[in-house]
Amino acid sequence: MNQLKHILFAAPALFISCLIAPKAVKAQALKDVYKDAFLIGASISPNITSERSKTLMDTVLKHFNAITIENNLKAGVVNPRPGEYNWGPADQYVEFGEKNKMWIMGHTLVWHQQTPDWFFTNKEGKPNTKEEQLERLRSHIEAVAGRYKGRINAWDVVNEQMGEDGNYRTNSNWIKSVGNGDTLVKYAFKYAAQYAPNTELYYNEYNAWRPEKRDGIVRMVKMLQKEGVRIDGVGLQGHWGLNYPKNQYIEDAINAYSALGIKVMITELDIDVLPLSREGQLTGWTLNPDRQLQLPEFKSYLDPYRNGLPDDVQAQLAKRYAEIFEIFYKHRDQIARVTFWGVQDGQSWKNGSPIPGRMNYPLLWDRQWKQKPAFQAVINAPKKAGNAKVTPPTGSKKF
Ligand code: GLA
């Protein structure tokens, strides 16, 4: 009887509390929302694999199914001096990905930055001949890609060797030493296929949406295909801003690469909310040995959100993420993966440049690990896009 009284008294209270209590919203995970569209990745550093940051680790495990290693597989970090290899952090990274059944990216085998000078000189300290440089390339790829054979899913084999005008970049130590961009790219992909069989092989590039540069990359991929050298995809680095690039350029680039019959990835995604100023950069620390701005007004102009991101800019960021994810979702038959460069704002490389300590807000989580409106915008984008789907151009393969 007592029990019955309890139930009779409790029932109305329960009913009322159901009415007034906010409906529990089940937190959605990015990777689940996009599971039928493409992989969702984040770049990570050894911080996470050594379990130092629990929140970061929990967030990565909940929301992402692909990972890219930020720095620890770059030549200068993995092999700083002849015969000296730092495998520890990269080994941990690969183990972390395997343990959690994630898509594991290798980044990157050939890049003109973060590559030590000794890569380009011979035992006598003279610049390498072409043959010596190709041998350096081969043995580097053998050591690094070969070590993780069958464990890394895909490599960014070559990073950023194209110039903005669609010709190879002129300031690449690799290209200068090999003597020719096509030769470098051809051998890099050939060696990667040899030492990392059953691993996908990609070319990764910034501003890969820019029409002249895009056409240069398309020409390069066709050259590889004609020579019978395997390339499986192109990654468009998404270091973009609130107002650039034009969406049409993004769509045109996705279509142009996909028409080559290869995968398209959006890599290194972050949306810069701060003003760009070439003049500010030049008068900033790049030309100034003391790394002090010459004009104080540049500091407030270039670093305007030191006390937090104003609501209207927060809303613009969410709108920008919504529109680009609607594009990605419409092109889901052509896009294999979308990877963010970092997870939360405090970690982003965008904070330091061009002014040290500059406060940027390019990602989906804020510095306190709160999901920003941009996060919800990304979650909602497939619903907004509805069933709209772009028909891939002739030549595309469905992935
Ligand atoms: C390039 C590289 C990345 C990273 C970013 C800046 O895009 O591909 O590995 O170094 O620059 O952080």
Side-chain angles (χ1 to χ4, degrees), residues 70 74 107 111 114 159-160 237 239 268 341 349:
E70 251 166 53
K74 291 175 180 165
H107 176 82
W111 194 27
Q114 291 186 259
N159 201 31
E160 303 180 349
Q237 295 180 15
H239 297 303
E268 308 191 20
W341 204 244
W349 71 297

Side-chain angles (χ1 to χ4, degrees), residues 54-320:
K54 177 137 176 28
T55 319
L56 177 56
M57 164 113 55
D58 291 348
T59 309
V60 168
L61 290 177
K62 174 165 180 184
H63 290 277
F64 300 93
N65 46 21
I67 46 175
T68 301
I69 187 163
E70 251 166 53
N71 283 304
N72 293 80
L73 275 172
K74 291 175 180 165
V77 184
V78 89
N79 187 193
R81 276 165 290 279
E84 183 185 324
Y85 288 96
N86 297 321
W87 296 120
D91 284 356
Q92 274 179 29
Y93 161 81
V94 175
E95 280 156 24
F96 175 84
E98 286 178 331
K99 188 171 131 211
N100 296 296
K101 302 192 171 37
M102 301 173 110
W103 177 268
I104 306 171
M105 281 301 302
H107 176 82
T108 172
L109 294 170
V110 177
W111 194 27
H112 57 290
Q113 288 184 39
Q114 291 186 259
T115 304
D117 291 345
W118 74 266
F119 262 55
F120 304 98
T121 50
N122 61 22
K123 286 200 191 83
E124 288 82 51
K126 299 221 177 71
N128 279 340
T129 61
K130 175 182 169 185
E131 285 65 36
E132 285 168 332
Q133 194 60 44
L134 288 176
E135 173 49 23
R136 177 93 290 278
L137 177 72
R138 191 203 61 73
S139 73
H140 178 63
I141 294 179
E142 178 184 24
V144 182
R147 181 179 180 87
Y148 300 105
K149 182 166 100 179
R151 299 179 65 197
I152 277 185
N153 294 90
W155 272 102
D156 287 332
V157 178
V158 176
N159 201 31
E160 303 180 349
Q161 294 306 297
M162 194 55 70
E164 299 300 290
D165 63 356
N167 296 307
Y168 284 108
R169 67 164 57 246
T170 49
N171 64 347
S172 161
N173 37 20
W174 276 109
I175 293 178
K176 278 189 201 151
S177 192
V178 168
N180 171 295
D182 275 356
T183 310
L184 171 70
V185 171
K186 213 165 19 186
Y187 276 92
F189 277 87
K190 188 168 118 29
Y191 292 142
Q194 181 181 341
Y195 294 110
N198 308 318
T199 303
E200 294 189 359
L201 308 176
Y202 305 151
Y203 179 76
N204 190 48
E205 185 62 89
Y206 68 86
N207 291 354
W209 50 267
R210 192 187 283 281
E212 298 80 12
K213 197 170 189 177
R214 176 199 71 203
D215 292 348
I217 298 169
V218 167
R219 189 206 60 77
M220 182 192 80
V221 174
K222 285 185 173 161
M223 177 277 297
L224 290 174
Q225 292 173 329
K226 193 162 152 238
E227 299 266 342
V229 179
R230 178 163 67 88
I231 175 167
D232 301 297
V234 168
L236 289 88
Q237 295 180 15
H239 297 303
W240 298 336
L242 292 176
N243 312 308
Y244 62 90
K246 271 200 288 203
N247 293 341
Q248 191 59 50
Y249 286 148
I250 298 176
E251 293 204 65
D252 290 349
I254 294 170
N255 286 331
Y257 299 129
S258 139
L260 299 165
I262 56 175
K263 286 187 176 180
V264 179
M265 274 78 49
I266 308 298
T267 64
E268 308 191 20
L269 180 60
D270 46 27
I271 301 292
D272 199 321
V273 301
L274 299 180
L276 292 177
S277 160
R278 185 78 181 140
E279 189 189 9
Q281 290 180 22
L282 290 177
T283 53
W285 58 266
T286 38
L287 279 191
N288 186 334
D290 299 330
R291 299 206 153 190
Q292 297 293 320
L293 289 170
Q294 289 159 357
L295 295 172
E297 48 269 48
F298 277 129
K299 178 132 181 69
S300 49
Y301 171 68
L302 289 170
D303 194 12
Y305 308 134
R306 294 205 61 81
N307 301 321
L309 192 62
D311 288 349
D312 61 326
V313 188
Q314 189 78 264
Q316 284 177 51
L317 180 70
K319 186 169 163 286
R320 181 66 172 146

